[in-house]
């Protein structure tokens, strides 16, 4: 009840003041004019306190019963007053005003007739007075209450419209911003896949012909390579500017999501609690986009459709996946329908091999869980070399350049991830030089599988344009090197020898930015010291304890005064947080890790 009082508006306080004034009048009259009352002092005071308090309690416990309780208790109290203090029936008008405020189009007929006609008429009969004046005053009071009710509804509608307007304005602003960023990313990829690949192919191809060119033409070859290299550097600078146009997505995932929740709180007034659970790792920008959009849509739905006032957002960094969980205290819904918003979230997650689950029940809020497998971008290279690139010209040119060197054997080439895994199984290369962006099974998926199956195999990321976040992520997940395809052959040979000897190599053009990125990530991680690896709420721990005690869902619902469906909803969320599929696994995990 105290929580509801904190959310009162001015009209709630006006109604509360009317009720309190009425009680004050009764108490003062009982003290100042005891001779006018035919019962002991305490009887009428106690009755007035019950009439004052019980409807308030019912209003916040059983809202549907409130109006009937208000009318019945008020009416019978004044029938009682008509017997014991006939001169003190006029304050009844104050409570009639409150009844009028609480009445709606469905109820105003019976509440108006009861409080404006029936009870005043009965009071008139009991006090042996004509009831017309009292009926008029009560009916007038009821009309005032109804008018005030219309004013309140108008105020509520205006407030809702204002909130919706703010929410939609924020939503539109963020959509415009993300659309612009996505368009820039698309342009970056277009440049990468067209001009970037063409220039890289030209550089690598010309270098592969160097050994067959007469000495008199070497200077000309150098000039052609220099021109192509300069053009490629210019494109890299432009792409670097595009990718850093918005600082928000140069932040870590947790920073960008936290910034979104803070902006959302400022614009809507809704309380959003954000937590990071687990050790944060760098993720790809497209994965950040995906989860950012999912959180944005979930926050909007929680306020717009669920009328939520408090939202909890938990970001879990687990060994194999990211989990974003959004839980609100809104209205909830009985059945989940995947409209445009949820469908868009599901499609975005599926593009990242992720899943979406939504749990909700009427009156119990909604829980949205987004799971995305952690994938790190990577590539490979070595002495017994496997070259993986879906650009045939680049793969063939690299094979020709490296095969001409005494210390290198190219055991094979592959054009996609699946073929690369087959070649690794067959040839067991020392180093894999692998492109990140490929059709079909891409480089990052292949990288993770290679590291899992052949942990000692050395992997070098090979890409057209430098990306500090991509490089930091690749090194963090076990890559031995990050190399540009346009690296000069001599430098490439030295780098591969260093990697084969157990070292790590990073292209100098990006080294400074990578170290800055890794330092920034470490500083960010120091902000979080999670003491709860699973992020269980107090209620979830309570339910887990009852499960451990052997209680079934129905018994838990009875013990906690919840519906069985609500308990099932809590258990579903609990199992998801613990990473288990049933109660037995949850109990076993709780006992093994001393969660309880």
């Amino acid at each position: 009840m105290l929580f509801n009082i904190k959310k009162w508006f001015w009209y709630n306080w006006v109604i509360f003041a009317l009720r309190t004034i009425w009680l004050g009048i009764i108490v003062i009259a009982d003290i100042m004019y005891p001779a006018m009352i035919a019962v002991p002092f305490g009887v009428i005071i106690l009755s007035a306190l019950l009439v004052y308090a019980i409807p308030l309690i019912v209003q916040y416990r059983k809202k549907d019963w409130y109006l009937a309780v208000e009318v019945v208790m008020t009416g019978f109290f004044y029938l009682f007053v008509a017997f014991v203090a006939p001169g003190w029936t006029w304050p009844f008008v104050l409570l009639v005003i409150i009844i009028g405020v609480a009445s709606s189009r469905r109820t105003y007929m019976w509440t108006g007739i009861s409080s404006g006609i029936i009870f005043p008429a009965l009071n008139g009969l009991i006090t042996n007075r004509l009831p017309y004046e009292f009926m008029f005053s009560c009916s007038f009071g009821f009309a005032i209450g109804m008018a005030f009710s219309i004013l309140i509804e108008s105020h509520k509608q205006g407030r809702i419209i204002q909130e919706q307007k703010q929410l939609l304005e924020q939503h539109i602003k963020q959509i415009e911003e993300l659309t612009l960023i996505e368009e820039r990313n698309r342009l970056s990829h277009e440049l990468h896949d067209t001009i970037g690949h063409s220039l890289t192919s030209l550089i690598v191809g010309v270098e592969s012909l160097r050994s067959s060119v007469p000495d008199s033409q070497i200077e000309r070859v150098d000039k052609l390579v220099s021109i192509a290299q300069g053009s490629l550097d210019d494109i890299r600078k432009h792409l670097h500017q595009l990718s850093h146009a918005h600082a928000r997505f140069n932040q870590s995932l947790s920073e960008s999501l936290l910034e979104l929740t803070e902006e959302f709180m400022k614009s809507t007034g809704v309380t959003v609690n954000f937590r990071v659970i687990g050790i944060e790792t760098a993720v790809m920008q497209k994965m950040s986009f995906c989860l950012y959009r999912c959180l944005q849509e979930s926050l909007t739905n929680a306020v717009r459709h669920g009328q939520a006032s408090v939202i909890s957002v938990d970001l879990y960094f687990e060994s194999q996946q990211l989990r974003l969980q959004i839980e609100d205290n809104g209205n909830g819904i009985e059945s989940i329908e995947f409209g445009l918003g949820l469908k868009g979230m599901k499609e975005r997650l599926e593009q990242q091999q992720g899943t979406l689950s939504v749990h909700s029940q009427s009156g119990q809020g909604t829980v949205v869980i987004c799971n995305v497998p952690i994938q790190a971008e990577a590539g490979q290279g070595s002495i017994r070399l496997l070259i993986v690139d879906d650009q045939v010209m680049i793969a063939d040119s690299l094979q020709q350049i490296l095969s001409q060197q005494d210390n290198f054997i190219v055991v094979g080439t592959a054009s996609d991830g699946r073929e690369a895994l087959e070649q690794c199984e067959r040839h067991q290369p020392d180093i894999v030089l692998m492109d990140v962006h490929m059709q079909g099974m891409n480089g990052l998926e292949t990288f993770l599988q290679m590291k899992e199956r052949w942990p000692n195999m050395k992997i070098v990321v090979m890409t057209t344009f430098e990306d500090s976040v991509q490089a930091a992520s690749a090194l963090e997940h076990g890559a031995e090197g990050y190399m540009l395809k346009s690296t000069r052959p001599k430098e490439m040979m030295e780098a591969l020898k260093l990697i084969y000897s157990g070292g790590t190599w990073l292209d100098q053009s990006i080294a400074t930015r990578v170290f800055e990125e890794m330092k920034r990530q470490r500083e960010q991680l120091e902000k979080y010291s999670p003491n709860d690896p699973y992020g269980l709420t107090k209620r979830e721990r309570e339910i887990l304890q009852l499960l451990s005690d052997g209680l079934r869902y129905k018994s838990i619902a009875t013990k906690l005064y919840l519906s069985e469906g609500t308990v099932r909803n809590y258990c579903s969320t609990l199992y998801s947080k613990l990473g288990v599929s049933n109660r037995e696994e949850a109990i076993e995990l709780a006992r093994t890790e001393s969660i309880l």
Side-chain angles (χ1 to χ4, degrees):
M1 185 171 174
L2 290 175
F3 177 75
N4 287 311
I5 290 174
K6 291 179 181 179
K7 299 192 295 182
W8 277 8
F9 293 95
W10 63 269
Y11 46 79
N12 299 111
W13 289 106
V14 170
I15 297 169
F16 180 76
L18 280 176
R19 194 178 206 89
T20 305
I21 290 170
W22 166 81
L23 180 62
I25 290 171
I26 297 298
V27 173
I28 291 169
D30 204 12
I31 294 172
M32 295 184 64
Y33 305 101
M36 296 180 63
I37 303 173
V39 294
F41 174 84
V43 173
I44 197 164
I45 294 298
L46 179 61
S47 301
L49 285 172
L50 291 174
V51 173
Y52 177 86
I54 290 177
L56 282 177
I57 296 171
V58 172
Q59 185 175 16
Y60 295 105
R61 293 296 183 91
K62 294 287 185 180
K63 193 172 182 179
D64 294 340
W65 297 2
Y66 161 69
L67 197 54
V69 171
E70 182 80 84
V71 172
V72 171
M73 291 198 69
T74 300
F76 280 100
F77 176 76
Y78 271 94
L79 291 178
F80 168 67
V81 171
F83 276 112
V84 301
W88 288 100
T89 55
W90 64 267
F92 180 56
V93 175
L94 294 176
L95 291 185
V96 171
I97 293 174
I98 294 174
I99 292 171
V101 172
S103 299
S104 64
R105 293 182 180 180
R106 294 188 300 106
T107 60
Y108 77 90
M109 286 294 292
W110 68 268
T111 55
I113 292 172
S114 299
S115 58
I117 298 176
I118 295 176
F119 286 118
L122 291 174
N123 281 339
L125 291 174
I126 293 170
T127 56
N128 293 318
R129 294 166 54 187
L130 291 175
Y132 304 117
E133 180 179 350
F134 199 56
M135 290 170 65
F136 173 79
S137 61
C138 287
S139 297
F140 184 69
F142 185 81
I144 292 174
M146 286 291 293
F148 192 60
S149 175
I150 293 171
L151 177 63
I152 291 172
E153 286 301 316
S154 176
H155 178 270
K156 287 181 178 178
Q157 290 297 325
R159 182 167 53 85
I160 291 171
I161 290 171
Q162 185 64 27
E163 289 175 353
Q164 296 291 332
K165 180 183 177 184
Q166 290 177 347
L167 190 61
L168 289 173
E169 284 177 350
Q170 183 205 37
H171 194 58
I172 290 170
K173 179 182 177 182
Q174 291 175 346
I175 286 175
E176 288 177 349
E177 180 180 324
L178 288 175
T179 302
L180 179 61
I181 294 172
E182 287 180 338
E183 180 61 22
R184 285 174 168 169
N185 282 340
R186 186 194 66 78
L187 179 58
S188 297
H189 288 135
E190 287 293 325
L191 289 173
H192 178 280
D193 294 338
T194 55
I195 299 175
H197 272 306
S198 298
L199 288 173
T200 303
S201 300
L202 177 61
I203 293 169
V204 176
V206 171
E207 288 286 358
S208 68
L209 297 175
R210 184 183 292 273
S211 60
S212 60
V213 173
D215 292 342
S216 60
Q217 299 297 319
I218 289 295
E219 184 178 349
R220 201 168 185 184
V221 169
D222 289 338
K223 188 173 182 180
L224 288 173
V225 170
S226 177
I227 292 172
Q229 186 76 53
S231 299
L232 194 57
D233 289 341
D234 287 340
I235 294 174
R236 284 176 184 154
K237 290 177 183 177
H238 290 305
L239 291 184
H240 184 69
Q241 291 171 357
L242 284 175
S243 63
H244 290 74
H246 287 264
R248 170 176 296 173
F249 293 99
N250 294 326
Q251 302 170 333
S252 68
L253 175 60
S254 62
E255 287 177 322
S256 62
L257 297 188
L258 177 60
E259 186 175 322
L260 172 61
T261 59
E262 290 175 346
E263 289 178 359
F264 189 82
M265 281 194 288
K266 288 179 183 178
S267 62
T268 63
V270 174
T271 301
V272 184
N273 301 312
F274 180 78
R275 292 190 307 167
V276 176
I277 300 167
I279 299 175
E280 182 167 6
T281 57
V283 298
M284 295 181 300
Q285 195 174 68
K286 61 181 180 181
M287 191 183 296
S288 293
F289 280 146
C290 173
L291 292 177
Y292 188 94
R293 287 276 199 171
C294 289
L295 177 57
Q296 181 188 43
E297 184 67 34
S298 298
L299 292 175
T300 303
N301 288 341
V303 175
R304 188 178 181 187
H305 302 300
Q307 304 296 315
S309 59
V310 178
I311 304 172
S312 297
V313 179
D314 295 327
L315 177 62
Y316 295 82
F317 285 88
E318 300 170 352
S319 59
Q320 298 296 323
Q321 68 172 9
L322 284 175
R323 177 154 53 91
L324 178 64
Q325 180 168 309
I326 306 100
E327 184 173 357
D328 66 63
N329 68 342
N331 300 330
I333 50 177
E334 286 293 346
S335 59
I336 306 297
E337 294 184 4
F338 277 74
L340 186 61
L342 288 178
K343 185 178 180 182
M345 289 171 60
K346 186 177 181 181
E347 289 174 351
R348 284 180 176 277
L349 288 165
E350 286 176 349
Q351 289 175 2
Q352 305 299 321
Q353 291 81 48
T355 59
L356 172 68
S357 58
V358 183
H359 309 278
S360 184
Q361 187 173 349
S362 182
Q364 300 295 329
T366 301
V367 179
V368 178
I369 300 174
C370 306
N371 290 304
V372 184
I374 292 178
Q375 300 173 337
E377 305 194 28
Q380 301 180 335
S382 76
I383 300 294
R384 279 174 51 84
L385 298 170
L386 173 66
I387 299 171
V388 185
D389 198 311
D390 60 354
Q391 297 288 316
V392 178
M393 179 180 290
I394 291 178
D396 290 345
S397 298
L398 285 173
Q399 182 181 22
Q400 185 175 346
I401 292 171
L402 294 168
S403 297
Q404 293 173 357
Q405 307 302 315
D406 295 336
N407 297 325
F408 297 96
I409 299 173
V410 179
V411 297
T413 61
S415 60
D416 61 33
R418 297 192 183 282
E419 188 179 351
L421 292 173
E422 293 173 1
Q423 295 272 23
C424 286
E425 184 73 45
R426 185 182 306 121
H427 300 295
Q428 297 290 310
D430 298 313
I431 303 176
V432 179
L433 272 168
M434 183 164 64
D435 188 14
V436 175
H437 303 287
M438 296 185 294
Q439 299 295 323
M441 187 177 182
N442 62 33
L444 67 94
E445 294 177 82
T446 310
F447 170 74
L448 292 176
Q449 290 199 31
M450 285 179 177
K451 278 297 181 183
E452 183 178 350
R453 294 169 63 178
W454 304 287
N456 295 324
M457 188 179 292
K458 302 182 186 301
I459 303 174
V460 177
V461 176
M462 188 172 61
T463 186
T464 303
F465 298 116
E466 65 264 28
D467 184 327
S468 59
V469 176
Q470 182 186 86
S473 179
L475 294 173
E476 180 183 349
H477 285 81
E480 281 72 23
Y482 184 88
M483 183 178 296
L484 297 177
K485 293 179 184 178
S486 56
T487 301
R488 294 185 179 276
K490 184 177 180 180
E491 187 179 2
M492 184 181 293
M493 309 305 166
E494 294 302 319
L496 293 176
K497 289 176 183 178
L498 174 66
I499 290 168
Y500 181 72
S501 300
T504 300
W505 192 87
L506 183 64
D507 193 283
Q508 292 303 305
S509 65
I510 196 176
T512 302
R513 293 205 303 274
V514 170
F515 295 139
E516 289 175 354
E517 173 67 24
M518 296 176 78
K519 179 182 177 182
R520 188 192 63 76
Q521 290 178 12
R522 284 195 301 271
E523 290 173 350
Q524 178 62 27
L525 293 176
E526 289 173 0
K527 298 178 183 178
Y528 303 102
S529 55
N531 52 19
D532 181 1
Y534 297 102
L536 301 184
T537 65
K538 182 179 178 181
R539 175 67 82 184
E540 288 164 352
R541 286 181 173 274
E542 190 175 9
I543 290 175
L544 181 57
Q545 180 63 62
L546 294 174
L547 289 172
S548 182
D549 292 341
L551 273 65
R552 314 304 294 179
Y553 291 153
K554 189 172 183 180
S555 301
I556 294 173
T558 303
K559 188 175 181 65
L560 298 180
Y561 303 101
L562 299 171
S563 69
E564 188 174 351
T566 301
V567 172
R568 290 183 181 277
N569 189 27
Y570 271 116
C571 288
S572 177
T573 304
L574 173 64
Y575 298 158
S576 177
K577 286 184 177 182
L578 295 177
V580 299
S581 56
N582 54 52
R583 70 162 58 223
E584 289 75 21
E585 292 179 6
I587 294 169
E588 181 63 25
L589 181 65
R591 291 172 179 169
T592 302
E593 298 194 13
S594 302
I595 296 174
L596 299 176

